[in-house]
């Protein structure tokens, strides 16, 4: 948020509000759905998966299918009509990152990257462990987070394909809902078991969650220290003065991370890859 605020930061609360009102059969779930899908260009796809999963719940079939169908139509309109219409490349924004077999000019390298790259499975494990692996027990409610994972993995951007930086803001709420459903399923199947077995399962899941949280914390902590520890503090302190010395009507080209400091200028060119 210091330089590049992503609207999906508003997504988790809206998604949870949608799911709660959907389960309570309140019509306001349509409002929450609309607010959620405008936070990110691919959010309608995730909402479609979630509503489709909800349609498998007893008594929710009609409402879930209506919401899923509406989300799908909205997604197609945005991707195929609205974005190409206003894009300088006449293509939707996802097309620049989606990886298909033709990206590698062969099917085998694409399959190798998408399904057999160890780093992706290691990253997925790191995301699932804090939830105690409960999303794996969610049944149809696994569909939303699996769909989100599939879309992320199709990206040629390494950080997006591994659900890093801000991408967990989309991925984690879906995992959270699946974990809650998975815990309910597990709890029902343990009702007839002894207290000792139930306690052992609870301790095991708690241990997995703590291990996952610790793994994520310490692995990312070293990366943050490395990144901020090598920052050029003198250059950062001089940045404001250097920008102020540039005439107000001058055209400036700057890296994406500097654009908030140029928000009041009219002629700004963004360098997405300054290197």
């Amino acid at each position: 948020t210091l330089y590049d605020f992503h609207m999906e930061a508003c997504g988790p609360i809206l998604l949870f509000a949608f799911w709660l009102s959907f389960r309570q059969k309140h019509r306001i779930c349509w409002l929450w759905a609309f607010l959620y899908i405008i936070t990110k260009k691919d959010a309608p796809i995730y909402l479609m998966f979630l509503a489709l999963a909800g349609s498998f719940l007893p008594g929710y079939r009609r409402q879930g299918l209506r919401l899923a169908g509406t989300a799908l139509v909205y997604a197609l309109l945005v991707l195929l009509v609205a974005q190409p219409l206003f894009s300088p490349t006449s293509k939707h924004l996802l097309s620049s990152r989606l990886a298909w077999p033709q990206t590698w000019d062969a099917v085998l390298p694409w399959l190798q990257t998408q399904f057999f790259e160890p780093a992706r499975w290691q990253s997925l494990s790191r995301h699932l462990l804090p939830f105690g692996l409960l999303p794996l027990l969610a049944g149809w409610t696994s569909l939303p987070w699996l769909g989100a994972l599939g879309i992320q993995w199709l990206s040629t951007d390494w950080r997006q394909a591994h659900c890093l930086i801000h991408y967990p803001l989309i991925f984690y709420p879906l995992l959270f809902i699946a974990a809650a459903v998975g815990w309910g399923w597990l709890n029902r199947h343990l009702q007839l078991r002894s207290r000792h077995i139930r306690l052992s399962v609870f301790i095991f899941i708690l241990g997995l969650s703590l291990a996952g949280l610790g793994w994520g914390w310490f692995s990312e902590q070293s990366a943050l220290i490395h990144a901020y520890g090598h920052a050029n503090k003198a250059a950062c302190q001089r940045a404001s003065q250097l920008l102020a010395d540039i005439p107000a009507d001058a055209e400036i080209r700057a890296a994406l991370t500097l654009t908030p400091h140029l928000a009041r200028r009219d002629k700004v060119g963004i360098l997405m890859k300054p290197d």
Side-chain angles (χ1 to χ4, degrees):
T1 58
L2 293 177
Y3 72 91
D4 192 14
F5 178 77
H6 290 268
M7 284 302 297
E8 56 257 46
C10 305
I13 186 63
L14 298 174
L15 187 67
F16 290 139
F18 162 76
W19 185 247
L20 177 63
S21 57
F22 174 82
R23 292 301 305 270
Q24 294 176 342
K25 296 186 176 181
H26 288 171
R27 293 183 178 179
I28 198 174
C29 70
W30 287 87
L31 173 62
W32 297 125
F34 173 74
L35 293 176
Y36 173 72
I37 63 178
I38 63 176
T39 61
K40 188 175 175 66
K41 53 185 173 294
D42 44 346
I45 303 175
Y46 309 136
L47 182 75
M48 177 197 69
F49 284 127
L50 185 59
L52 187 61
S55 69
F56 287 94
L57 297 171
Y60 293 86
R61 183 177 181 83
R62 180 177 297 180
Q63 185 175 11
L65 290 178
R66 285 179 177 176
L67 280 161
T70 304
L72 177 60
V73 171
Y74 182 89
L76 292 176
L77 288 174
V78 169
L79 293 175
L80 302 180
V81 179
Q83 287 187 354
L85 183 63
F86 294 98
S87 172
T89 62
S90 299
K91 297 179 180 179
H92 60 79
L93 298 178
L94 293 177
S95 62
S96 60
R97 288 189 175 182
L98 289 179
W100 301 108
Q102 55 265 34
T103 307
W104 283 269
D105 296 325
V107 175
L108 189 59
W110 178 78
L111 291 174
Q112 179 69 29
T113 302
Q114 296 299 124
F115 300 104
F116 301 103
E117 185 186 39
R120 294 192 183 214
W121 293 101
Q122 183 180 10
S123 179
L124 177 59
S125 300
R126 191 171 66 185
H127 293 310
L128 284 175
L129 275 179
F131 295 91
L133 300 182
L134 289 172
L136 299 175
L137 306 176
W140 286 107
T141 317
S142 298
L143 183 63
W145 73 262
L146 285 173
L149 177 68
I151 293 173
Q152 306 298 327
W153 275 15
L154 280 175
S155 174
T156 56
D157 183 82
W158 193 91
R159 293 169 297 186
Q160 184 175 10
H162 294 76
C163 297
L164 301 175
I165 312 181
H166 55 87
Y167 294 106
L169 291 169
I170 285 289
F171 189 56
Y172 273 34
L174 300 173
L175 279 177
F176 190 95
I177 292 174
V181 174
W183 174 252
W185 179 90
L186 185 62
N187 189 48
R188 290 192 299 271
H189 283 73
L190 291 176
Q191 286 296 327
L192 301 179
R193 302 293 181 177
S194 66
R195 182 177 179 275
H196 177 73
I197 293 178
R198 295 199 303 269
L199 183 61
S200 299
V201 172
F202 174 77
I203 293 176
F204 176 71
I205 292 176
L206 181 61
L208 288 177
S209 299
L210 292 176
L213 290 171
W215 183 13
W217 173 262
F218 289 108
S219 63
E220 294 301 327
Q221 187 181 47
S222 59
L224 287 172
I225 292 175
H226 176 77
Y228 288 104
H230 292 78
N232 189 332
K233 296 182 180 179
C236 291
Q237 294 172 353
R238 294 178 55 205
S240 298
Q241 183 59 46
L242 291 173
L243 291 172
D245 292 340
I246 300 175
D249 58 346
E251 182 178 354
I252 303 178
R253 298 188 181 276
L256 179 64
T257 53
L258 287 176
T259 52
H261 301 282
L262 306 170
R264 298 182 182 276
R265 295 179 178 266
D266 296 326
K267 301 177 182 179
V268 179
I270 300 177
L271 300 175
M272 298 300 294
K273 295 183 178 180
D275 55 338

